[in-house]
Amino acid sequence: MKFRFELRCIADDQEEVHPVASLEREGVAPETLGLTLVEGRAILKTIQEVMIEKPLAHYVESQRRCPDCGAPRPIRGHHQVNLRTAFGNCTVDRPLLVGIDAGFVRARGQQGHFEVITGKSILAFKRDDPEDAPTADARCFAFVQTFDDKPKRRLFELLKSEGMQDNQQVTFLSDGGGDVRNLPLYLNPQAEHLIDWFHITVRLTVMLQAAKGLEETIREGEEQYPLRQPVLETLERIKWYLWHGNVFQALKHIDDLEQDLDVAAFEGAAERPRKLLKAVEEFHSYVDNNRDFIPNYGERFRQGEAISTAFVESTVNQVISKRMVKRQQMQWSQRGAHLLLQCRTRVLNEELEDVFRGWYPQFRTQGARPPPCEADAPGF
C-alpha cells in the first residue's frame, strides 16, 4: 500500500502541486501503523519550506519595482536566508544565475563547422566571498542546437532540476548572439536577460588597438585635422557609456565615429581606417540589436552582481574545446557530437551513474566502487 502526500498552493487563480512525501507500507503491525516520528518531522519540514518560500517569493516580486517610477530595483541580496522554525531550519536560496556561450566543432566531410551551445547554471554568488565560489551547486549543459529538437525544453528541465520555481528570479548571461540570446526567452516569466560585459569589452579592446595604428592627422582638402587621438577618446567614451548602461549616448557616439572614419577612409589611401570602420559598423549593429539587454554594469559591479560569463569559459573548455577542438583532428556529425556532449556533461555533473542505474536497476548500489583491476595489483 502506497501513500502519497501533496501540497496544493493556490494564488492568483493558479494552482501549483508540490510533492511532499511518498510512503509505502506492507502488512499490518504496531510499528507500521500511522507515521513514525522521523517521517512526521520530514513531512512537516517539507510543508513548512513550501509555506515559507511561496509567500516570500510573492513578497519579493511585489517589491521588485519602484512604486513611484515603476523601474525595476537592483538585487542587493546574494546570500541564503536561514530561518529557524518549530519543524527545523529552512533555507531560502539565492537567485539562479545561468551563463550561456557557444563554440564551433569541425563538421564531418566538407561541411565546415557547426555550432554547439553550452553553459553552466549556478546559484548567484558574491564575488568577494571565497566561500561562495560556484563549485558545489554548479551544473553544466551542452547540445547541438541544429540537431536537438527541443533545446529550450532541455534547458528548462535542467533549471527545474536545480530547484527553479515558476516565480524565482533567474539571470541569464550570454554573448549577445542571436541563437544564444533567444534560447532562454519564455523559460521563466521572472527571468532577466543580460549581455555579459566580457564580450562588449573584448570588441572595444580590439578597436582600441586598431585605432592606435591610425595616422595622427588626416588631410581634408588643404587643411589637416587630428585623427588618432579623437578616435581613441571617442572609443573610451563609448566604453564609459556602455559601462553605465547609457546605450543612447553610446550609439550616438558610435554614429559620430563612423562619420569620422568614413571621411578618413575616403580621403586617405591607408587600409587601417577602412578596417576600423568595418569593425565599428559591426559593433554598432551588435549594440543596437542588444540594446534592451545592456544593464548598468557599474551598478551591478558595485552591488557584487555578476556581469560576465567568465565562469562559463571553463565549461566551454571542458565540454567542447578539450574533447573536440584543441589538438583534435576528428570530424564530427551533429548526432555524434550531440550524444558525446550529453555523456560529457553528465560526467561533469556526476550524474552518469544515476542514469545507468535508471536504465539498469541491477547496477551496483549507490556509493559502491567497482572491483579493483588485476593490473592495479602489486607486481604489475
Side-chain angles (χ1 to χ4, degrees), residues 35-44:
L35 293 173
T36 65
L37 186 59
V38 175
E39 293 171 342
R41 288 178 176 174
I43 292 174
L44 289 176

Side-chain angles (χ1 to χ4, degrees), residues 172-335:
F172 291 96
L173 285 171
S174 67
D175 61 358
D179 295 339
V180 178
R181 183 184 64 237
N182 297 328
L183 179 63
L185 293 179
Y186 314 113
L187 289 182
N188 189 302
Q190 308 300 328
E192 183 181 23
H193 308 272
L194 305 178
I195 304 303
D196 73 307
W197 175 249
F198 172 77
H199 286 85
I200 292 179
T201 190
V202 162
R203 293 169 182 259
L204 286 168
T205 301
V206 172
M207 290 187 291
L208 283 168
Q209 293 297 327
K212 293 179 181 179
L214 295 175
E215 298 179 356
E216 186 175 352
T217 60
I218 182 175
R219 180 180 296 275
E220 186 176 359
E222 298 181 354
E223 299 182 0
Q224 284 189 344
Y225 298 94
L227 175 63
R228 182 195 306 161
Q229 192 60 30
V231 170
L232 290 173
E233 293 176 355
T234 303
L235 287 172
E236 290 292 347
R237 282 195 292 269
I238 292 172
K239 185 176 182 180
W240 189 89
Y241 283 123
L242 290 176
W243 173 255
H244 292 88
N246 194 338
V247 183
F248 175 79
Q249 288 293 337
L251 290 174
K252 183 179 178 180
H253 281 76
I254 293 176
D255 286 332
D256 296 340
L257 182 59
E258 287 179 346
Q259 295 178 11
D260 295 340
L261 291 174
D262 192 19
V263 173
F266 177 77
E267 296 291 340
E271 187 67 21
R272 290 179 178 177
R274 296 186 181 91
K275 291 183 178 180
L276 182 56
L277 175 60
K278 182 179 179 181
V280 172
E281 290 175 344
E282 293 176 352
F283 185 67
H284 190 168
S285 301
Y286 177 79
V287 174
D288 191 36
N289 293 335
N290 296 289
R291 62 190 309 166
D292 296 332
F293 308 103
I294 298 179
N296 189 329
Y297 295 102
E299 182 179 358
R300 290 182 62 89
F301 183 82
R302 289 188 295 271
Q303 300 299 332
E305 301 178 11
I307 61 174
S308 173
T309 57
F311 65 94
V312 186
E313 297 302 322
S314 61
T315 305
V316 176
N317 183 57
Q318 290 176 323
V319 177
I320 302 177
S321 300
K322 186 176 180 180
R323 303 290 298 183
M324 299 180 174
V325 180
K326 291 184 177 179
R327 298 182 181 179
Q328 303 293 331
Q329 301 299 323
M330 294 183 63
Q331 299 177 353
W332 298 86
S333 66
Q334 295 187 12
R335 180 178 182 274

Side-chain angles (χ1 to χ4, degrees), residues 5-276:
F5 298 85
E6 297 178 343
L7 180 63
R8 297 180 180 270
C9 176
I10 303 175
D12 299 330
D13 297 331
Q14 294 184 352
E15 182 175 347
E16 297 181 12
V17 180
H18 301 271
V20 176
S22 180
L23 304 178
E24 187 173 354
R25 295 288 190 268
E26 295 181 359
V28 178
E31 61 274 10
T32 61
L33 293 176
L35 293 173
T36 65
L37 186 59
V38 175
E39 293 171 342
R41 288 178 176 174
I43 292 174
L44 289 176
K45 182 179 180 181
T46 304
I47 295 175
Q48 185 81 317
E49 290 176 351
V50 176
M51 295 187 66
I52 289 176
E53 179 183 357
K54 290 302 178 180
L56 278 179
H58 187 272
Y59 173 78
V60 170
E61 177 58 27
S62 65
Q63 303 296 317
R64 281 287 292 154
R65 294 187 176 273
C66 176
D68 297 328
C69 64
R73 291 169 169 170
I75 302 174
R76 302 184 184 276
H78 298 273
H79 53 277
Q80 289 183 328
V81 179
N82 297 317
L83 301 176
R84 296 181 178 179
T85 70
F87 306 104
N89 297 334
C90 296
T91 302
V92 182
D93 288 334
R94 295 162 291 177
L96 193 64
L97 178 65
V98 182
I100 305 176
D101 206 344
F104 291 90
V105 175
R106 185 181 295 108
R108 185 174 58 186
Q110 302 297 326
Q111 301 177 5
H113 294 73
F114 57 86
E115 188 179 36
V116 172
I117 305 296
T118 184
K120 180 182 290 187
S121 66
I122 62 176
L123 291 178
F125 60 97
K126 200 170 184 178
R127 291 187 313 272
D128 55 359
D129 189 352
E131 295 182 357
D132 281 340
T135 54
D137 297 324
R139 299 184 65 190
C140 58
F141 58 92
F143 53 85
V144 178
Q145 183 163 301
T146 53
F147 176 81
D148 198 335
D149 296 332
K150 299 178 180 179
K152 292 186 177 181
R153 185 66 183 180
R154 182 178 299 276
L155 179 57
F156 178 79
E157 293 296 338
L158 174 75
L159 298 180
K160 277 293 187 180
S161 66
E162 287 273 16
M164 182 188 73
Q165 304 297 325
D166 295 335
N167 55 356
Q168 184 176 356
Q169 178 66 29
V170 184
T171 300
F172 291 96
L173 285 171
S174 67
D175 61 358
D179 295 339
V180 178
R181 183 184 64 237
N182 297 328
L183 179 63
L185 293 179
Y186 314 113
L187 289 182
N188 189 302
Q190 308 300 328
E192 183 181 23
H193 308 272
L194 305 178
I195 304 303
D196 73 307
W197 175 249
F198 172 77
H199 286 85
I200 292 179
T201 190
V202 162
R203 293 169 182 259
L204 286 168
T205 301
V206 172
M207 290 187 291
L208 283 168
Q209 293 297 327
K212 293 179 181 179
L214 295 175
E215 298 179 356
E216 186 175 352
T217 60
I218 182 175
R219 180 180 296 275
E220 186 176 359
E222 298 181 354
E223 299 182 0
Q224 284 189 344
Y225 298 94
L227 175 63
R228 182 195 306 161
Q229 192 60 30
V231 170
L232 290 173
E233 293 176 355
T234 303
L235 287 172
E236 290 292 347
R237 282 195 292 269
I238 292 172
K239 185 176 182 180
W240 189 89
Y241 283 123
L242 290 176
W243 173 255
H244 292 88
N246 194 338
V247 183
F248 175 79
Q249 288 293 337
L251 290 174
K252 183 179 178 180
H253 281 76
I254 293 176
D255 286 332
D256 296 340
L257 182 59
E258 287 179 346
Q259 295 178 11
D260 295 340
L261 291 174
D262 192 19
V263 173
F266 177 77
E267 296 291 340
E271 187 67 21
R272 290 179 178 177
R274 296 186 181 91
K275 291 183 178 180
L276 182 56

